[in-house]
Amino acid sequence: MALTVLERFYLIDDGFFSFNIKYLFFVGLWPEKTLTRNQKILYKIYEIFIHTLTIIFLIMAGIGTYQHNDDLLIVLSNMDKSLVVYNFFLKTIIFLIKRDQLKDLIDEIEASGDEVTKERKKLMANYVMVITGITAAVVSAFSILALLEGAMSIEAWMPFDPMESSMNLVLSLQIIAVCVFPALCRAFAMQGLVCSMIRYLCDQLIHLQKELRSLDYVKDAEMITRMKFKMIIRKHIRLMSYSMKMESIFKEYFLVQNLAVTVELCLNAVMMTTVGVQQITLLFTFLVYLVLALINAYIYCYLGNELIIQSEGIALAAYESTWTSWPVDLQKDLLIVINASQRPLKLSAGGMALLSIQTFSQALYNGYSIFAVLNDAVN
């Protein structure tokens, strides 16, 4: 039977995050350790080249917005689409700053001996591919729609007049696509790795809960029971360490994500009140981009919430174990585990807000509140 692309990745490298790391490598964010000196130089040039493409797009979009500053709809539309790229670009910069720390953490996780099922790896890899494909399809569809309408998908400065001919328009749309698409791929490569790491923690916490519930004390096998319990405690401490390191690495990353969603919601609410019903295509574009942004933000918050739930579940699993038949010293150790588990593992956005469903709801509320204030001030 022919192997799929994902299965080939697993055969090449059976690590926890093999697919995510390969994806990051292809988008210029993860130089492999096996590269030679010349290959590292070429890879660095490739990395800088993709950075340059994103910066060129932001400059062109900024100039295009300024050139049409008398048209509120164009300004709002450009701000909406540019905000997405700014979000991705800022998260990329943060990712690069923290990359060495992240590599050390991943090496530590992969050397831990923890098991991750192949089904889980495939699920996370499929998630990355699906979200990338959907976003690419949406962006392509709106670009084609703009081409059919004889308009620019985003008003950006070009060294030629895009409206002079259909050939110029097609060329301008291609230039925009070449500048934007690598940034999109980078964003989803980073998102895939972050989500896979959170999912890994959740799965290991679930495994710990099962181990605790199934831990039986038998007098004849006391040493085995004590050894199993000792391994459970060590793993729990190790997972807590991983969680704290992840929070330190990604707190600025999640802060940018949280702020971007709030601003995106506020901006789209303003556009909804400005755009007329007759401009249904523009209105639909705003809605689709907003939905995609909210889905991405929800995925982060859902996984952060799941991490909190599963880490708190350790305390319940410990209480549901057969601790009543254990020796007093083991019961005291179990009480320490319960007390430690009552402080859940968490990820935060800049240390100001936990990554949870509640934070997602709060971001939506904040966006609407800012819009309501601005709307009242204008009226």
Side-chain angles (χ1 to χ4, degrees):
M1 184 182 294
L3 295 174
T4 64
V5 174
L6 298 184
E7 287 170 338
R8 290 194 187 99
F9 276 130
Y10 299 135
L11 290 176
I12 294 171
D13 183 0
D14 200 32
F16 296 158
F17 314 108
S18 56
F19 180 83
N20 303 115
I21 290 174
K22 289 290 183 182
Y23 196 172
L24 287 166
F25 172 78
F26 288 136
V27 297
L29 289 178
W30 201 272
E32 293 183 345
K33 298 176 182 178
T34 56
L35 296 179
T36 64
R37 182 175 178 276
N38 291 335
Q39 288 174 333
K40 288 180 180 178
I41 294 174
L42 291 174
Y43 191 83
K44 190 65 178 179
I45 294 172
Y46 171 62
E47 181 181 326
I48 294 172
F49 173 70
I50 298 182
H51 292 329
T52 305
L53 288 179
T54 306
I55 294 171
I56 288 173
F57 167 78
L58 294 175
I59 293 174
M60 291 192 304
I63 296 174
T65 303
Y66 179 77
Q67 290 176 336
H68 297 83
N69 58 13
D70 55 338
D71 191 327
L72 181 60
L73 289 182
I74 292 179
V75 171
L76 291 176
S77 178
N78 271 28
M79 288 176 61
D80 180 49
K81 295 167 184 174
S82 297
L83 178 63
V84 176
V85 183
Y86 273 111
N87 175 26
F88 293 162
F89 184 66
L90 288 175
K91 288 195 291 189
T92 301
I93 298 302
I94 293 170
F95 184 88
L96 291 174
I97 293 173
K98 303 281 188 169
R99 185 168 59 187
D100 289 340
Q101 298 178 44
L102 185 56
K103 285 183 177 180
D104 293 339
L105 177 57
I106 288 178
D107 289 342
E108 187 177 349
I109 291 174
E110 294 193 332
S112 66
D114 293 336
E115 294 182 0
V116 176
T117 62
K118 185 168 289 189
E119 289 71 23
R120 173 62 71 190
K121 295 182 202 175
K122 287 183 179 180
L123 176 62
M124 297 310 298
N126 287 334
Y127 158 73
V128 176
M129 298 305 295
V130 167
I131 197 70
T132 303
I134 290 175
T135 305
V138 169
V139 173
S140 300
F142 283 123
S143 297
I144 294 172
L145 183 61
L147 180 62
L148 294 175
E149 293 181 349
M152 295 277 286
S153 57
I154 180 171
E155 291 296 335
W157 173 84
M158 293 289 164
F160 53 86
D161 184 4
M163 300 305 171
E164 185 177 350
S165 65
S166 58
M167 186 64 70
N168 282 10
L169 182 59
V170 171
L171 179 59
S172 64
L173 291 175
Q174 289 176 339
I175 291 173
I176 292 174
V178 168
C179 291
V180 171
F181 191 69
L184 293 177
C185 290
R186 280 184 159 189
F188 295 125
M190 292 185 293
Q191 182 174 346
L193 180 62
V194 174
C195 291
S196 294
M197 294 182 74
I198 301 174
R199 189 68 259 179
Y200 154 78
L201 284 179
C202 293
D203 288 346
Q204 296 305 314
L205 288 168
I206 292 172
H207 180 262
L208 272 185
Q209 293 174 32
K210 293 179 181 178
E211 290 289 317
L212 277 169
R213 289 190 175 97
S214 64
L215 192 62
D216 291 325
Y217 179 81
V218 180
K219 185 66 176 177
D220 295 338
E222 181 177 353
M223 293 304 298
I224 296 176
T225 303
R226 288 181 178 275
M227 183 59 66
K228 287 182 179 179
F229 187 50
K230 185 177 181 180
M231 296 301 294
I232 289 173
I233 292 176
R234 283 183 175 178
K235 184 171 182 177
H236 188 214
I237 293 172
R238 181 161 49 81
L239 293 178
M240 289 192 291
S241 173
Y242 293 164
S243 176
M244 288 187 290
K245 289 177 182 179
M246 285 180 62
E247 182 178 13
S248 175
I249 291 171
F250 292 120
K251 61 183 180 181
E252 294 87 1
Y253 179 97
F254 290 133
L255 178 61
V256 171
Q257 173 68 36
N258 196 40
L259 292 176
V261 171
T262 302
V263 175
E264 181 84 11
L265 181 64
C266 176
L267 190 59
N268 275 269
V270 172
M271 289 186 287
M272 296 299 174
T273 60
T274 305
V275 176
V277 180
Q278 64 276 11
Q279 295 169 304
I280 187 67
T281 302
L282 190 59
L283 189 64
F284 183 67
T285 303
F286 295 156
L287 283 173
V288 171
Y289 282 125
L290 176 61
V291 169
L292 287 175
L294 292 179
I295 290 174
N296 286 328
Y298 177 79
I299 290 170
Y300 283 126
C301 291
Y302 168 78
L303 290 175
N305 196 75
E306 187 71 9
L307 179 62
I308 293 172
I309 292 173
Q310 297 305 334
S311 61
E312 289 178 335
I314 295 292
L316 179 60
Y319 182 75
E320 291 177 348
S321 65
T322 58
W323 59 271
T324 53
S325 61
W326 294 8
V328 176
D329 62 322
L330 281 182
Q331 290 180 357
K332 290 180 178 179
D333 291 340
L334 188 68
L335 182 59
I336 294 174
V337 172
I338 293 174
N339 287 334
S341 302
Q342 290 175 348
R343 292 186 297 174
L345 308 187
K346 57 183 175 56
L347 299 171
S348 68
M352 295 184 291
L354 292 182
L355 214 62
S356 64
I357 299 299
Q358 183 179 359
T359 300
F360 179 76
S361 303
Q362 187 64 42
L364 299 183
Y365 176 77
N366 291 341
Y368 177 77
S369 298
I370 296 172
F371 158 72
V373 172
L374 291 176
N375 193 45
D376 289 342
V378 171
N379 293 334

